[in-house]
Amino acid sequence: MKGIISTAIAIAVGLVVLAGYFIETPLLVNLRRLLLDWAVILAAVALFVGLANLVKVHSARVRDRQKGGFYSVVLVLCLLATLLAGLALRPEHPVMAAVFNAVQFPVEASLMALLTVSLVYASVRLLRRRRNLLSVIFLVTAVIILLGTAPLPFGEIPILGDLLRPFFTQVLAAAGARGILIGVALGSLATGLRILFGADRPYGSR
Amino acid sequence: MAEIACPTCGKTNPDGVAACQFCGTSFQPAPGGAAIHPGEKPVKKATAEFEGVRPKPSDDDLIRPGDPPVKKKTSELEQALPSWLKNLRGHPDQPPEPAPDEPPAPAPAGEAERVEFPDWLAGLEDDKTRVEEEQVPDWLANLRGRMQEEGEVPPAASPPDTPAAPAVDDLPREEMPGWLSRLGDGEAVLKDAVARPAIHPDENARPLPRENTSPTGAGTDQPVPEARLPGEEPDWLSRLQPEADYLPLETAGEALMPGGGLAGTPTARPGEEIPDWLAAAAGVAAAEGSPASPGGPAGVTPALIAGGEESPARTDSSLPLESPDWLSTIKPEQAPAPGPAAETGDGQVDGSLEPAQLPTWVQAMRPVESVVAAAPLGESEELPAEEQGPLAGLRGVLPAAPGMGAFRKPPAYSIKLQASEDQARNAAQLERLVAGEGQRSELPEPSLLGPARILRWVVALLLLLAVLLPVASGMQVAPDLSGYPPEMVAARNVVQDPALVPVNAPVLIAFDYEPALAGELEAAAAPLIDNLLFTGARLALVSTIPSGPALAERFMLETQSFHQYTGGEEYVNLGYLAGGPAGILDFAIDPPAAAPVTPGGADAWSLPPLAGVRELGDFTLLIIVTDSADTGRAWIEQASSHLQGRPVLMVISAQAEPMLRPYYESGQVQGLVTGLAGGKAYEQSIQRPGLGTAYWTAFSAGLFISVLIILAGGIWSLAGEPGSRKPYRVTEKP
């Protein structure tokens, strides 16, 4: 019974929103807006649900004295402090901006820099691990794109920057990207239809 | 030495004794009693003495065809039994008669003269030592009682007045009655005939012992005299015998009862004298029907005789059987027709079954065995044959018991696993792996000076030097771009076109990138926004990423400080749009409703930057700054239809270019600035160096070093032996 109700609601909402795109009647438009607002509110609430789950998991780790519990303590304390400061000072406050610029931004940027080092190291070890044609193709493509992205300190390489890189990025990569986009579009359409028909029930019992 | 059988207990006594040594019955004739001796004429006797034991005649006492057997108390009739019949009583303490199919016991060595007799007559020879067990069925007792109540008991069978009849085996062969001796020629036939049990309509009824089937009181196993001795037979027999015609075998066969025995009541010819008891028995049988002939007409065969009759099916017609004349008087139609269902396939009579009367059409439906039987003959003969019903005669049609069909011996499967050599090797390897899972192994301590760790440190140091050295020294080694990307030029043209972006026009900028990629995207978007702010554009900043509003504020402070834009005056931060694509659609449909206030809580749509703006189409330009292809696609798909033809520009990361470039080539996006190179090109094009220019040498040096490291590592790996590759260790810490 529960599954039937949820399926009926999903199909009805989907049909109403879809019909709102084709039939510009005030009733359908307003109904679509209402349903869309509900979806946005639920998404925002989901952010808080995720936040609460994070606090619960790490609190349990602290309570059970699991390995790495100290970091959980730091995380929970920082989270609560930032939340309370944001609620009290508002996000536009310079303190809140400083917290973001001094903590979150450098941390994420550093992780990206480490990723650069790791990718280079992995490329060095690639042929050591997998010595096959695909590995060679992968490395050659990466080198060509890197050399063609920017001029080298001693100057541009004529063929790479003018011919090879545009060919790789605008022909080969674009062709693959378009194929992926078409596949994504068809998949989204099929998924929408399956949800409208009740074949897929990502929200419910199956 | 002659012996005398006691008429009461049936036991034999030595000749000459006056009374039975066992029961004390006197062997002297009773006063007034008349013993019947061979050759004497039958004398009518007064049977009033039997009236006392006469059962009340009633309809219930009559036995009719088809009546179920009813036990009756016949002890009161014991005194009415004739002596010859009493002699037939077996002694319970004597062993039972061997089965007919068992071979007869060898004759004693001292009795050579008896060896002359056939085996089936050996019983008569051994009558001194063998006592037959007799069990008289109820119907026979009832019949006797009826005969006695009619007062027609044979004179020779009226105990105790009648002395014991001499045993047949004691008679010399020449003293035997003539009719017995004449039967000697057909003794084989008679032997075969009397050796069969009779069919009784009642399945509970037991057939008479064979020795009781003879009217003389001797069993059929007793020797039958070969020659008739006219002078020694009773008168009533002697009068019957001279004129007795002996039936040919065919006629005798017709006169046989379905049970196979001799049938028919000796019927006297007109004018002849017959014993009263025989006439009475015949009359009663004719009037009431014989119980031994249920299906036929009124049975004319006394049950006494019919009980020992055999089926005619096995009668050998080639043997010269001479039947008495009284047998010839039995008409074929009087003899009950043998029921087809009463006989099995081999002619044997199944006494436990009631003969079934099948309609002709059912009989026609019965399958022909020769057609149905597909199994080999030898195999089918071992199968059980159906004895009744429409399938009678067929073998192996039905299982012997419910659930027991034609079982077949199941095939034997070897329990030994049939595995190839490769499978065995793989199984052994799997066993080792599984066994190794449970064993605790010491993890190797990662060495600070291991080859891999050293290599990682070398790579990191090279990259850091390549990036930090140009920035720290301020040198510009990398040359400027020789050309501009067309998508960047298109974006610049849009920004610089007053028709598209008039002065002081509202512009919507979406900051949808993560802080990790802020260095690239800030350098790419800064020259475009800087160029835009020269037109006095009023900015509205929005983001679908929670950290987007902070990044937007940072961008404005870090890159556009030159323009001295302040929040709430020249630009307004609309904050975070929850819901991803749904949030974008919601904002595209009704921006004031989707983002009504600023992160500080002020009414965003009442601030100067958003003056006159109520819907998405009121913005003159949409700039999407994103590092994700999905986010860029969501903006294009959800918001482009609400822009009312306003231009869309995208500042994207280099990693998202392949996925978002098709939107530029399709015309849905009017301009595209890609990565640091695009920002550098834009700065170069507007002649305003910024972050792109500052990062350009470091960026070029980093790319160059990276390419060198990759090429060197690839060559080193290709030059190395494949066998020198170390297995992948998960224990290594990054």
Side-chain angles (χ1 to χ4, degrees):
Chain A
M1 190 63 185
K2 177 183 176 183
I4 294 175
I5 292 176
S6 58
T7 303
I9 292 174
I11 293 174
V13 170
L15 290 176
V16 167
V17 173
L18 186 62
Y21 281 100
F22 298 97
I23 305 172
E24 292 288 342
T25 60
L27 177 62
L28 288 179
V29 171
N30 293 332
L31 195 57
R32 187 184 64 177
R33 284 297 313 277
L34 177 63
L35 295 173
L36 197 60
D37 289 339
W38 288 359
V40 172
I41 293 172
L42 288 176
V45 171
L47 188 63
F48 286 97
V49 172
L51 185 66
N53 183 64
L54 180 68
V55 174
K56 178 184 177 183
V57 169
H58 286 274
S59 300
R61 294 183 65 177
V62 173
R63 183 177 60 250
D64 298 339
R65 299 178 182 276
Q66 296 180 5
K67 185 177 181 181
F70 173 75
Y71 302 107
S72 297
V73 171
V74 173
L75 186 145
V76 172
L77 291 179
C78 293
L79 188 149
L80 293 177
T82 306
L83 178 63
L84 294 176
L87 291 175
L89 303 175
R90 291 289 183 173
E92 295 176 336
H93 196 276
V95 174
M96 298 303 299
V99 169
F100 175 79
N101 293 327
V103 178
Q104 186 173 359
F105 187 86
V107 167
E108 292 196 22
S110 301
L111 291 175
M112 183 59 66
L114 288 176
L115 178 63
T116 303
V117 176
S118 299
L119 287 177
V120 173
Y121 176 74
S123 300
V124 171
R125 305 276 294 182
L126 178 62
L127 294 180
R128 194 83 171 167
R129 302 284 182 185
R130 294 179 182 274
R131 187 180 300 180
N132 51 33
L133 181 61
L134 289 178
S135 298
V136 173
I137 292 175
F138 178 82
L139 288 180
V140 170
T141 304
V143 168
I144 291 174
I145 297 299
L146 289 175
L147 293 177
T149 298
L152 300 178
F154 48 84
E156 289 190 34
I157 302 175
I159 298 176
L160 287 179
D162 299 339
L163 188 62
L164 289 180
R165 186 184 182 277
F167 175 76
F168 277 99
T169 57
Q170 299 174 15
V171 177
L172 297 180
R178 290 189 182 190
I180 293 174
L181 289 175
I182 292 174
V184 169
L186 293 178
S188 301
L189 182 63
T191 302
L193 291 177
R194 288 175 63 85
I195 291 176
L196 288 179
F197 293 150
D200 276 352
R201 303 173 186 175
Y203 41 80
S205 57
R206 202 170 48 178
Chain B
M1 176 178 155
E3 294 180 351
I4 299 174
C6 177
T8 301
C9 63
K11 296 183 178 178
T12 57
N13 295 274
D15 192 9
V17 296
C20 178
Q21 297 176 346
F22 301 93
C23 63
T25 302
S26 174
F27 291 155
Q28 299 299 326
I36 299 175
H37 300 284
E40 289 183 353
K41 291 183 178 179
V43 180
K44 276 197 171 185
K45 294 182 63 179
T47 58
E49 56 182 306
F50 299 134
E51 289 294 325
V53 296
R54 175 184 179 183
K56 289 184 178 180
S58 64
D59 292 342
D60 297 335
D61 297 332
L62 302 180
I63 299 176
R64 293 183 175 83
D67 286 350
V70 179
K71 271 201 168 184
K72 291 184 177 181
K73 188 175 181 181
T74 57
S75 59
E76 58 185 357
L77 303 175
E78 285 294 326
Q79 55 182 330
L81 290 177
S83 59
W84 61 269
L85 191 55
K86 290 183 176 180
N87 288 336
L88 298 178
R89 287 291 183 89
H91 300 281
D93 53 347
Q94 293 185 353
E97 183 183 356
D101 52 351
E102 292 181 359
E111 300 177 5
E113 54 177 324
R114 296 180 184 176
V115 178
E116 300 173 358
F117 295 96
D119 292 341
W120 62 276
L121 294 178
L124 293 178
E125 288 294 313
D126 299 337
D127 189 57
K128 299 172 184 177
T129 57
R130 182 172 60 89
V131 179
E132 301 81 6
E133 182 180 0
E134 175 190 3
Q135 292 185 1
V136 180
D138 295 339
W139 59 270
L140 180 57
N142 292 337
L143 184 59
R144 289 180 193 160
R146 184 170 298 280
M147 295 168 61
Q148 289 175 358
E149 81 179 24
E150 297 295 337
E152 296 174 358
V153 180
S158 57
D161 300 335
T162 304
V168 178
D169 54 348
D170 292 338
L171 294 176
R173 197 171 186 84
E174 53 274 5
E175 292 180 4
M176 288 184 180
W179 64 275
L180 278 177
S181 60
R182 279 203 303 270
L183 288 177
D185 297 335
E187 61 184 16
V189 177
L190 191 57
K191 171 190 175 184
D192 188 38
V194 301
R196 297 168 178 268
I199 289 181
H200 295 269
D202 182 5
E203 60 180 0
N204 295 327
R206 297 178 57 184
L208 279 177
R210 285 172 290 177
E211 57 271 21
N212 296 334
T213 56
S214 171
T216 61
T220 53
D221 287 343
Q222 295 175 356
V224 179
E226 296 180 354
R228 182 192 304 181
L229 302 177
E232 296 184 9
E233 59 189 35
D235 290 342
W236 61 275
L237 272 179
S238 62
R239 283 194 296 273
L240 292 174
Q241 298 297 338
E243 293 82 12
D245 295 331
Y246 299 98
L247 292 174
L249 186 59
E250 293 78 10
T251 307
E254 293 176 355
L256 293 174
M257 293 295 293
L262 293 171
T265 302
T267 306
R269 290 183 177 181
E272 287 184 347
E273 288 186 17
I274 60 174
D276 294 338
W277 64 272
L278 192 56
V284 170
E288 300 176 358
S290 173
S293 58
V300 296
T301 303
L304 178 65
I305 301 175
E309 291 169 351
E310 290 290 336
S311 170
R314 295 183 62 179
T315 302
D316 191 356
S317 60
S318 62
L319 296 178
L321 175 63
E322 293 182 354
S323 301
D325 191 17
W326 54 271
L327 281 177
S328 63
T329 60
I330 301 175
K331 297 178 180 179
E333 59 272 14
Q334 290 177 323
E343 295 182 4
T344 58
D346 54 358
Q348 294 180 351
V349 179
D350 189 352
S352 62
L353 296 176
E354 184 176 358
Q357 298 294 335
L358 294 178
T360 55
W361 61 273
V362 175
Q363 295 180 1
M365 292 176 61
R366 295 173 61 182
V368 183
E369 188 174 5
S370 60
V371 177
V372 177
L377 183 59
E379 183 179 343
S380 62
E381 284 178 349
E382 298 176 357
L383 300 174
E386 300 300 324
E387 299 178 352
Q388 56 181 332
L391 300 178
L394 299 180
R395 293 179 179 275
V397 179
L398 297 177
M404 295 178 60
F407 293 109
R408 184 175 298 172
K409 185 180 180 181
Y413 296 103
S414 174
I415 60 174
K416 184 179 180 181
L417 183 62
Q418 302 292 334
S420 63
E421 187 176 347
D422 292 341
Q423 292 172 339
R425 186 172 59 253
N426 293 334
Q429 185 176 2
L430 179 61
E431 275 189 18
R432 288 194 299 271
L433 289 175
V434 173
E437 289 292 329
Q439 297 176 357
R440 183 177 181 178
S441 58
E442 295 294 335
L443 296 177
E445 190 68 23
S447 173
L448 293 176
L449 298 178
R453 186 173 292 269
I454 292 176
L455 180 60
R456 280 199 295 267
W457 278 110
V458 170
V459 170
L461 290 175
L462 290 176
L463 289 176
L464 286 173
L465 289 176
V467 172
L468 294 178
L469 191 59
V471 173
S473 62
M475 60 180 180
Q476 298 292 331
V477 180
D480 292 337
L481 293 170
S482 58
Y484 301 128
E487 62 273 14
M488 184 276 297
V489 176
R492 187 193 62 187
N493 294 336
V494 169
V495 171
Q496 294 177 351
D497 189 353
L500 296 177
V501 182
V503 177
N504 201 23
V507 175
L508 178 64
I509 302 176
F511 285 86
D512 283 339
Y513 58 89
E514 296 291 342
L517 295 173
E520 180 188 11
L521 288 174
E522 286 178 355
L528 178 67
I529 302 300
D530 179 56
N531 193 16
L532 179 65
L533 292 184
F534 279 108
T535 61
R538 296 172 288 155
L539 302 180
L541 311 180
V542 71
S543 176
T544 60
I545 296 176
S547 59
L551 286 174
E553 292 290 340
R554 170 191 162 83
F555 178 83
M556 296 301 294
L557 291 174
E558 298 290 336
T559 61
Q560 308 299 328
S561 58
F562 173 77
H563 297 281
Q564 298 181 349
Y565 268 49
T566 56
E569 296 296 333
E570 288 82 16
Y571 74 95
V572 59
N573 193 343
L574 297 177
Y576 164 66
L577 294 177
I584 296 173
L585 178 62
D586 190 30
F587 182 82
I589 293 173
D590 190 359
V597 296
T598 64
D603 184 7
W605 300 94
S606 60
L607 297 176
L610 295 179
V613 178
R614 287 301 168 195
E615 56 187 16
L616 192 62
D618 294 336
F619 292 103
T620 57
L621 178 64
L622 172 61
I623 299 174
I624 303 170
V625 184
T626 181
D627 61 345
S628 170
D630 293 335
T631 305
R633 181 169 55 87
W635 272 104
I636 295 172
E637 292 174 353
Q638 303 297 332
S640 59
S641 61
H642 297 273
L643 285 174
Q644 301 175 4
R646 304 294 184 180
V648 177
L649 301 179
M650 297 188 74
V651 180
I652 59 176
S653 171
Q655 65 180 1
E657 181 189 6
M659 297 296 292
L660 295 177
R661 190 176 184 88
Y663 292 101
Y664 164 73
E665 294 177 347
S666 66
Q668 299 181 68
V669 176
Q670 281 67 39
L672 200 63
V673 180
T674 304
L676 181 60
K680 167 62 179 168
Y682 202 103
E683 291 176 359
Q684 188 175 334
S685 65
I686 62 174
Q687 300 296 321
R688 285 182 61 82
L691 290 177
T693 303
Y695 296 160
W696 186 245
T697 301
F699 178 66
S700 176
L703 287 178
F704 179 68
I705 294 298
S706 299
V707 169
L708 287 180
I709 293 173
I710 291 172
L711 289 177
I715 294 171
W716 174 62
S717 300
L718 289 175
E721 296 180 1
S724 62
R725 290 179 297 174
K726 293 183 179 179
Y728 181 71
R729 292 190 306 171
V730 295
T731 57
E732 292 182 351
K733 293 182 179 179

